[in-house]
């Protein structure tokens, strides 16, 4: 498949989508101007929506008919296998006592499940970058209830090596993050562990937020140079694919967890109900501290749009199914009572169980793990990317399809990885010189390097023009996202 063809196709698909987002958010602002006219702006938006749906449906059908699906699937399988083999190689050294190790500790990671898995993901990427075996120290993991073994009851061991069979020098377990490290390659304040500690056999992976002065280039959003070109052909958002490979490996379910996932999957009828929407509604502590409240109605508007598109494509009514995961009380009841045209799939007593989710025990762990897996197995996610739960499901989803980069709507943030090097790289492809009155918008000249910080979901993005140092809004279609690339080991002896 010609790279240009694939990326240009993605550009026009993205462009049509942005045009729709732009019209949907801009047209209602003209309401007053049309007063007295007997035309209602809502009818115009609806008519545009119908046309937009018809174009996207035709484009999706054309994509299916282009005969390239099998090629894409084969390439996707081959790339996944290559990375999987490399990870298996790193994680299963012939001798645990002599292997070079990177220890990833969950001890000081007092945060939710998504946040902890992302911490391990970052450690694992660093292990891959430094050719070390990742050793998970889950001894005081919040979910273990102060006992060992919760990890392995839920997931496969990450490695044949562990804290006990690896001759790891003891560290003071009571070390708090503020304690002074014993040596520069010990536990904290270790900004440059890839460089200064290159010769140490065992190093601890610092908490990502603590790496202030210097950060390795291999952190997200960089993908390895040796697979970047292939990934650019295959996938619309290579970094999510890359992170997805690590998350998929880390979360390989234990036979016990797998049983529960499969049991829920078939009991809820996932296999018979496609297309299913995965809806994650984060409430609880997040709303008070970190994220804005988005009402159920807003989520449901996107669900309507998704099914309408499907119906346009297939030219028949499609039964509407939503797998609803939430930590909100009454969200499920509310949804069931207000949206009778939808079937909501969730475990019984959904709302009654909300209180157990935040429990740092295995009941809570199993509940969130199953929710994340089931969300990832849906056909489309509607959620807030400010939540690591939904980002995790989105990442896992990438392991299940050749390119699922656009199988989502986020009501707030663009996709991001906490602690990553700043922003996505893009190049301006059209010039943009906003009128003075548009003070929030920045200037672009073709060729300018732009760092995208976030999307507004209305056809505009927010970011910095690195050539002029201006920071502000610009029309998303005027830039082209570039893959950020870094040198990683190439593991040349591993073939697929
Ligand atoms: P974030 O705080 O939303 O970014 O994500 P975290 O995973 O770091 O923390 C959220 C925690 O809230 C999770 O670990 C769960 O304990 C709980 N939680 C949030 N949403 C859900 C959900 O849909 N289902 C379940 N079972 N638990 C949830």
């Amino acid at each position: 498949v010609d790279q240009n063809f694939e990326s240009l196709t993605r550009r026009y698909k993205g462009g049509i989508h942005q045009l729709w987002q732009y019209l949907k958010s801009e047209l209602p602002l003209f309401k007053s101007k049309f007063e007295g006219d007997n035309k209602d702006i809502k009818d115009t938006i609806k008519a545009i929506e119908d046309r937009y749906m018809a174009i996207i449906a035709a484009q999706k059908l054309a994509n299916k008919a282009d005969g390239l699906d099998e090629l894409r699937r084969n390439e996707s399988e081959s790339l996944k296998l290559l990375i999987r083999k490399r990870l298996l190689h790193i994680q299963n050294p012939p001798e645990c006592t002599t292997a070079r190790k990177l220890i990833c500790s969950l001890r000081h990671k007092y945060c939710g499940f998504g946040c902890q898995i992302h911490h391990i993901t970052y450690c694992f990427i660093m292990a891959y970058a430094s050719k070390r075996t990742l050793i998970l120290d889950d001894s005081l993991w919040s979910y273990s209830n102060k006992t060992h073994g919760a990890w392995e009851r839920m997931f496969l061991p990450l490695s044949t090596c562990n804290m006990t069979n690896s001759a790891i020098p003891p560290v003071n377990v009571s070390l708090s993050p503020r304690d002074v490290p014993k040596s520069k390659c010990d536990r904290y304040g270790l900004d440059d562990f890839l460089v200064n500690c290159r010769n140490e056999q065992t190093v601890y992976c610092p908490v990502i937020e603590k790496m202030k002065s210097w950060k390795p280039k291999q952190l997200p959003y960089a993908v390895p140079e040796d697979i970047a070109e292939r990934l650019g052909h295959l996938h619309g958002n290579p970094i999510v694919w890359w992170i997805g490979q690590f998350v998929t490996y880390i979360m390989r379910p234990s036979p016990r967890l797998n049983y529960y996932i499969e049991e829920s999957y078939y009991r809820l009828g996932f296999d018979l109900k496609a297309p299913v929407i995965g809806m994650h509604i984060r409430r609880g502590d997040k709303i008070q501290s970190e994220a804005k409240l988005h009402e159920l109605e807003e989520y449901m508007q996107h669900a309507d749009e998704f099914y309408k598109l499907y119906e346009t494509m297939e030219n028949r009514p499609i039964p509407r199914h939503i797998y609803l995961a939430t930590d909100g009380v009454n969200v499920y009841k509310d949804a069931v009572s207000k949206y009778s045209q939808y079937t909501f799939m969730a475990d019984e007593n959904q709302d009654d169980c909300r209180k157990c989710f935040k429990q740092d025990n295995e009941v809570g762990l199993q509940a969130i793990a199953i929710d994340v897996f089931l969300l990832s197995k849906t056909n489309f996610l509607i959620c807030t990317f400010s939540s690591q739960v939904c980002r995790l499901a989105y990442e896992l989803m990438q392991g299940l399809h050749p390119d699922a980069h656009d199988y989502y709507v986020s009501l707030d943030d663009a996709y991001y990885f906490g602690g990553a090097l700043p922003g996505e790289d893009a190049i301006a492809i059209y010039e943009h010189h906003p009128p003075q009155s548009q003070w929030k918008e920045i200037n672009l000249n073709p060729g300018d390097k732009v760092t995208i910080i976030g999307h507004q979901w209305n056809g505009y993005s927010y970011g910095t023009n690195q050539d002029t140092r201006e920071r502000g809004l610009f029309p998303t279609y005027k830039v082209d996202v570039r893959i950020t690339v870094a040198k990683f080991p190439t593991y040349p002896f591993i073939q697929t």
Side-chain angles (χ1 to χ4, degrees), residues 86-87 90-91 100 102 121-134 193-195 198 214 216-220 222-224 242 246 486-491:
R86 289 179 181 177
L87 297 183
I90 300 169
Q91 289 308 94
R100 285 161 50 80
L102 183 67
T121 306
Y122 137 76
C123 294
F124 206 177
I125 293 174
M126 292 297 101
Y128 182 105
S130 56
K131 293 203 251 181
R132 290 175 180 277
T133 302
L134 181 79
F193 72 107
L194 288 181
V195 178
R198 196 183 286 138
W214 183 87
K217 284 194 276 304
Q218 291 85 356
L219 281 177
V223 299
W242 172 237
F246 287 86
K487 278 202 189 315
F488 280 79
T490 56
Y491 300 95

Side-chain angles (χ1 to χ4, degrees), residues 287-306:
I287 301 305
Q288 287 124 40
S289 56
E290 296 172 19
K292 229 175 86 196
L293 177 82
H294 291 268
E295 298 293 348
L296 175 64
E297 287 62 37
E298 199 184 330
Y299 290 79
M300 293 307 295
Q301 275 164 16
H302 289 286
D304 286 347
E305 209 174 279
F306 172 85

Side-chain angles (χ1 to χ4, degrees), residues 106 136-157 254 256 362 365:
L106 289 174
L136 185 67
D137 174 8
D138 61 336
S139 51
L140 294 174
W141 186 27
S142 49
Y143 283 114
S144 296
N145 245 351
K146 310 264 182 287
T147 58
H148 287 264
W151 181 270
E152 289 179 15
R153 284 191 288 279
M154 218 53 77
F155 305 107
L156 296 185
S254 68
R256 178 168 163 268
E362 285 187 44
L365 174 59

Side-chain angles (χ1 to χ4, degrees), residues 112-115 143 280 282 286 325-327 354 357-358 367-368 371 386-389:
F113 176 73
C115 160
Y143 283 114
H280 177 238
R282 181 76 163 95
K286 194 86 176 177
T326 176
D327 62 339
R354 288 306 108 191
F357 287 149
K358 268 294 197 181
I368 182 65
D371 270 346
S386 57
S387 170
Q388 313 219 37
V389 173

